[in-house]
């Protein structure tokens, strides 16, 4: 039986360890999962910077097929098989069994242009048994469902509903699905990943992720670093056993192995542990994606010769360019968020710059002493981000984020608006209308909330009294409304809803009518009820 955390708050609130606390401990210390302690690899015991950073290959179409919009137009057609394979994630580890798109994880990168649609046939060529422990007590993953199921979502895409990877539209080994991505959207880094109901966290942890770039003329005109000077950095954490195999933690209850969060001590970049990259003393553009199940990253660049963290610039968010670059010394990214960065290595010629997460090394840039002239630019202004006016909103929704605990305060599930996945749709915005969504976070943890189909803007975050909210169902604010951080003040598709805060976003529901989903992007939460369908309805 679940009880909501409000009961404990009403009684004065015994302190539990928050997600951020557990996350901090897990990176530094090995094995926080007692039962696995003896077989768990301590990733921090491995040699640093012995493997070069891999760059996923750029995928090529295998042919052309008629466009669903207009059969006289032929679109590039790609076929991507999902496979199980083995790969070395570190020089000193045995090969790791993974799942991936193609035979790498991250899978191949898509390079596409705005307005140029394409078709992808995603084929499930996975084996018939799962790599990781399924919890059959979770909705959508019951024992009568096949263990191996997959469906692909292109995160950040404005795609028609039947190509959006609806979590119930999974397919089994031997089957495939063709998706149409019209790409009628601005240049941005999107990413594709699995979205199968009830096992999404396991499929992604097994490796089903990849990057997808949309380009456009506006971006081309800015003369940003490109080609070999533009590099995707897909970052996520994992746990491994002493054999170098994925070690997804379990609760200890064999009937419900689900755990509320997973934090690994092994932080991989483009699929390697502690890689290095040789760079020129010039500007680079890094497209950073937090692809972790639950971990937030706090990244800094550190040159051993000049201790304070090096400054860099953020030029874009989830959904494209900011209006102007933002100077940063530390980048925070919640799961599913992306950042577009310009890093200038010219002042570090001949030395090493380490990328750290929370002060622990995760990657090294080895800067050459001399290099060719840098012709690229860091423009002072980028792309206008016209504000969506609050006065244009036709509806304001109050949407709570809730954690349900058992009697000893262990989370058993998370809910949006106190509703389960299978309950009737409650969010039904009208096509082309603007709405304000108030994300009322009643829990102790931050939840990165993602809406499919749309891009949105963050209005503000404001602390409120949680106990009073539970008692009177009323919001009493405790402080001033805080504007988004400079690096969030652009187009977003995922927003950090901080604990004890109301986070307000403003959204125009454009593109398509039909059924989509919104959810927390901590995949353990999403899989256990923190996801809801929404309908975009015709005017
Ligand atoms: Cu990144 Cu619903 O997904
Ligand atoms: Cu998405
Ligand atoms: Cu969450």
């Amino acid at each position: 039986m679940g009880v909501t955390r409000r009961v404990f708050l009403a009684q004065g609130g015994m302190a539990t360890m928050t997600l951020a606390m557990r996350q901090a401990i897990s990176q530094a210390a090995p094995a926080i999962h007692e039962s696995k302690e003896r077989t768990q690899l301590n990733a921090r015991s491995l040699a640093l910077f012995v493997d070069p950073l891999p760059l996923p290959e750029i995928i090529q179409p295998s042919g052309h097929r008629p466009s669903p919009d207009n059969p006289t137009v032929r679109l590039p057609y790609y076929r991507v098989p999902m496979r199980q394979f083995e790969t070395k994630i570190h020089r000193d580890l045995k090969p790791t069994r993974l799942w991936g798109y193609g035979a790498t994880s991250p899978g191949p990168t898509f390079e596409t242009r705005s307005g140029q649609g394409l078709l992808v046939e995603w084929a499930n060529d996975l084996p018939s048994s799962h790599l990781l422990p399924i919890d059959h007590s979770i909705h959508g993953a019951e024992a009568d469902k096949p263990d191996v199921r997959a469906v692909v979502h292109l995160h950040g895409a404005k795609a028609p509903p039947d190509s959006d990877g609806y979590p119930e539209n999974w397919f089994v080994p031997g089957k495939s699905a063709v998706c149409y991505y019209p790409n009628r959207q601005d240049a941005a880094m999107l990413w594709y990943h699995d979205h199968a109901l009830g096992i999404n966290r396991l499929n992604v942890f097994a490796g089903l992720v990849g990057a997808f770039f949309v380009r456009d003329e506006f971006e081309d005109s800015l003369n940003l670093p490109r080609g070999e000077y533009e590099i995707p950095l897909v970052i996520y954490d994992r746990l491994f056993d002493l054999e170098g195999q994925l070690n997804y933690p379990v609760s200890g209850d064999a009937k419900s192995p689900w755990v509320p969060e997973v934090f690994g001590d092994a932080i991989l970049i483009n699929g390697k542990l502690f890689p290095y990259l040789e760079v020129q003393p010039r500007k680079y553009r890094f497209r950073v994606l937090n692809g972790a199940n639950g971990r937030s990253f706090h990244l800094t660049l550190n040159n051993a010769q000049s201790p304070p963290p090096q400054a860099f610039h953020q030029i874009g968010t989830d959904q494209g360019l900011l209006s102007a670059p933002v100077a940063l010394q530390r980048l925070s990214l919640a799961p599913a968020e992306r950042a577009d960065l310009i890093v200038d290595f010219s002042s570090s010629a001949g030395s090493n710059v380490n990328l750290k997460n929370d002060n622990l090394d995760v990657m090294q840039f080895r800067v050459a002493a001399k290099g060719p002239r840098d012709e690229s630019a860091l423009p002072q202004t980028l792309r206008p981000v016209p504000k969506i006016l609050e006065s244009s909103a036709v509806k304001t929704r109050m949407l709570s984020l809730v954690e349900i605990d058992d009697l000893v305060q262990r989370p058993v599930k998370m809910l949006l608006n106190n509703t389960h996945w299978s309950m009737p749709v409650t969010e039904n915005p009208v096509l082309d209308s603007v709405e304000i969504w108030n994300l009322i976070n009643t829990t102790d943890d931050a939840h990165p909330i993602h809406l499919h189909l749309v891009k949105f803007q963050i209005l503000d975050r404001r602390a409120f009294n949680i106990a009073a909210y539970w008692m009177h169902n009323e919001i009493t604010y405790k402080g001033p409304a805080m504007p988004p951080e400079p690096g969030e003040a652009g187009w977003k598709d995922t927003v950090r809803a901080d604990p004890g805060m109301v986070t307000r976003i403003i959204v125009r529901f454009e593109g398509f009518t039909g059924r989509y989903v919104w959810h927390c992007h901590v995949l353990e939460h999403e899989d256990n009820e923190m996801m809801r369908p929404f309908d975009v309805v015709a005017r």
Side-chain angles (χ1 to χ4, degrees):
M1 258 300 282
V3 288
T4 61
R5 176 151 289 174
R6 77 181 111 161
V7 173
F8 301 99
L9 286 164
Q11 291 167 351
M14 261 173 60
T16 43
M17 227 199 272
T18 64
L19 194 140
M21 290 156 75
R22 291 192 294 271
Q23 165 166 318
I25 292 169
S26 65
Q27 186 184 218
I32 51 158
H33 305 283
E34 314 78 33
S35 57
K36 298 260 174 158
E37 204 149 352
R38 260 167 287 117
T39 55
Q40 181 150 321
L41 173 77
N42 173 6
R44 290 276 144 201
S45 67
L46 293 168
L48 295 175
F49 318 136
V50 293
D51 294 289
L53 178 79
L55 294 175
E57 70 173 284
I58 311 284
I59 192 168
Q60 299 303 325
S62 57
H64 287 79
R65 300 266 171 107
S67 163
D69 286 339
N70 176 355
T72 64
V73 175
R74 292 174 71 78
L75 300 178
Y77 180 89
Y78 300 77
R79 190 174 189 281
V80 181
M82 303 169 211
R83 294 213 176 101
Q84 176 170 300
F85 58 93
E86 291 201 335
T87 191
K88 274 177 80 77
I89 59 146
H90 185 278
R91 183 194 66 188
D92 300 331
L93 284 180
K94 292 180 193 156
T96 304
R97 203 169 313 118
L98 293 176
W99 288 1
Y101 298 101
T104 62
S105 177
T109 298
F110 284 81
E111 278 288 348
T112 72
R113 295 205 54 96
S114 177
Q116 297 182 5
L118 57 89
L119 297 160
V120 184
E121 179 182 359
W122 304 103
N124 185 341
D125 288 350
L126 295 166
S128 59
S129 61
H130 211 289
L131 269 184
L132 301 172
I134 294 175
D135 185 333
H136 294 297
S137 73
I138 281 187
H139 179 73
E142 295 81 3
D144 64 345
K145 307 276 189 315
D147 278 3
V148 179
R149 303 176 275 122
V151 58
V152 185
H153 168 58
L154 178 55
H155 179 129
K158 199 199 270 186
D162 53 356
S163 290
D164 192 54
Y166 195 69
E168 292 176 353
N169 293 346
W170 44 262
F171 44 96
V172 295
K175 302 282 184 200
S176 68
V178 178
C179 290
Y180 170 42
Y181 304 115
N183 297 328
R184 287 192 284 264
Q185 56 190 100
D186 290 346
M189 179 190 201
L190 316 184
W191 62 300
Y192 58 98
H193 61 75
D194 189 75
H195 222 305
L197 193 68
I199 53 168
N200 183 23
R201 69 195 184 290
L202 306 174
N203 288 357
V204 171
F205 198 86
L208 293 170
V209 251
F212 186 111
F213 290 99
V214 179
R215 311 282 181 186
D216 66 16
E217 275 161 30
F218 191 98
E219 176 191 38
D220 292 346
S221 73
L222 293 177
N223 189 27
L224 298 166
R226 67 180 85 187
E228 61 180 300
Y229 306 117
E230 182 188 14
I231 292 180
L233 298 176
V234 178
I235 310 186
Y236 43 77
D237 58 337
R238 295 289 185 265
L239 292 142
F240 295 97
D241 65 19
L242 294 173
E243 296 300 304
Q245 301 307 313
L246 290 173
N247 197 5
Y248 188 90
V250 288
S251 65
D253 173 353
K255 285 211 186 71
S256 58
W258 176 82
V259 292
E261 291 96 26
V262 173
F263 301 121
D265 64 337
I267 292 173
L268 285 79
I269 307 190
N270 294 352
K272 281 280 182 198
L273 197 43
F274 312 129
Y276 68 86
L277 178 69
E278 284 171 1
V279 295
Q280 303 293 330
R282 54 161 284 146
K283 288 190 285 305
Y284 277 75
R285 182 179 184 194
F286 292 108
R287 313 296 297 268
V288 188
L289 158 68
N290 180 348
N293 279 36
R295 180 183 288 281
S296 289
F297 292 104
H298 309 104
L299 303 171
T300 55
L301 287 168
N302 304 264
N303 186 331
Q305 269 96 65
S306 54
Q310 189 186 325
F312 52 90
H313 286 88
Q314 183 177 349
I315 60 165
T317 53
D318 307 338
Q319 283 284 333
L321 294 162
L322 286 162
S323 59
V326 173
L328 288 178
Q329 281 192 317
R330 180 175 186 262
L331 172 73
S332 292
L333 275 188
E337 285 188 308
R338 287 88 76 204
D340 194 347
L341 303 181
I342 300 286
V343 176
D344 192 344
F345 291 111
S346 61
S347 59
S348 303
S351 60
N352 295 332
V353 176
N354 289 4
L355 179 68
K356 290 182 193 256
N357 178 50
D358 293 325
N359 282 323
L360 291 167
D361 287 316
V362 294
M363 177 176 172
Q364 182 167 72
F365 298 98
R366 298 182 181 159
V367 189
K370 268 208 195 81
R373 228 177 99 84
D374 184 358
E375 311 278 358
S376 71
L378 172 59
Q380 289 193 344
T381 59
L382 298 160
R383 185 174 209 145
V385 179
K387 274 223 177 327
I388 311 180
L389 296 178
E390 281 189 50
S391 57
S392 68
V394 298
K395 189 159 188 101
T396 297
R397 295 182 194 269
M398 306 301 279
L399 303 161
S400 60
L401 316 184
V402 178
E403 178 178 315
I404 309 288
D405 291 352
D406 65 11
L407 293 168
V408 287
Q409 281 197 283
R410 283 175 312 216
V412 292
K413 65 176 72 156
M414 321 274 166
L415 298 175
L416 296 172
N417 219 13
N418 270 318
T419 45
H420 289 79
W421 167 254
S422 59
M423 290 165 79
V425 169
T426 42
E427 286 71 62
N428 50 1
V430 174
L431 183 67
D432 293 325
S433 74
V434 173
E435 295 196 356
I436 295 173
W437 286 23
N438 287 258
L439 306 168
I440 306 164
N441 187 348
T442 69
T443 77
D444 294 340
D445 297 318
H447 299 272
I449 301 294
H450 169 50
L451 278 66
H452 286 208
L453 176 71
V454 295
K455 57 179 184 178
F456 56 74
Q457 293 173 0
I458 303 174
L459 291 171
D460 47 39
R461 295 187 177 90
R462 193 167 183 189
F464 71 104
N465 184 326
I466 298 176
Y469 175 74
W470 284 126
M471 268 178 293
H472 315 295
N473 199 24
E474 247 173 47
I475 306 278
T476 332
Y477 288 109
K478 294 201 300 192
M482 292 166 1
E485 290 154 26
E488 295 177 313
W491 291 107
K492 299 278 291 168
D493 58 40
T494 306
V495 60
R496 215 183 58 238
D498 285 334
M501 300 274 228
V502 176
T503 300
R504 294 196 311 144
I505 59 171
I506 188 162
V507 196
R508 180 173 286 115
F509 289 86
E510 301 177 297
F512 299 92
T513 56
R515 181 154 296 181
Y516 293 90
V517 303
W518 68 287
H519 59 88
C520 176
H521 223 290
V522 170
L523 301 182
E524 284 65 30
H525 298 181
E526 173 192 332
D527 264 350
N528 201 352
E529 298 290 353
M530 210 172 197
M531 175 164 71
R532 287 283 292 158
F534 74 86
D535 283 339
V536 180
V537 299
R539 292 169 173 278

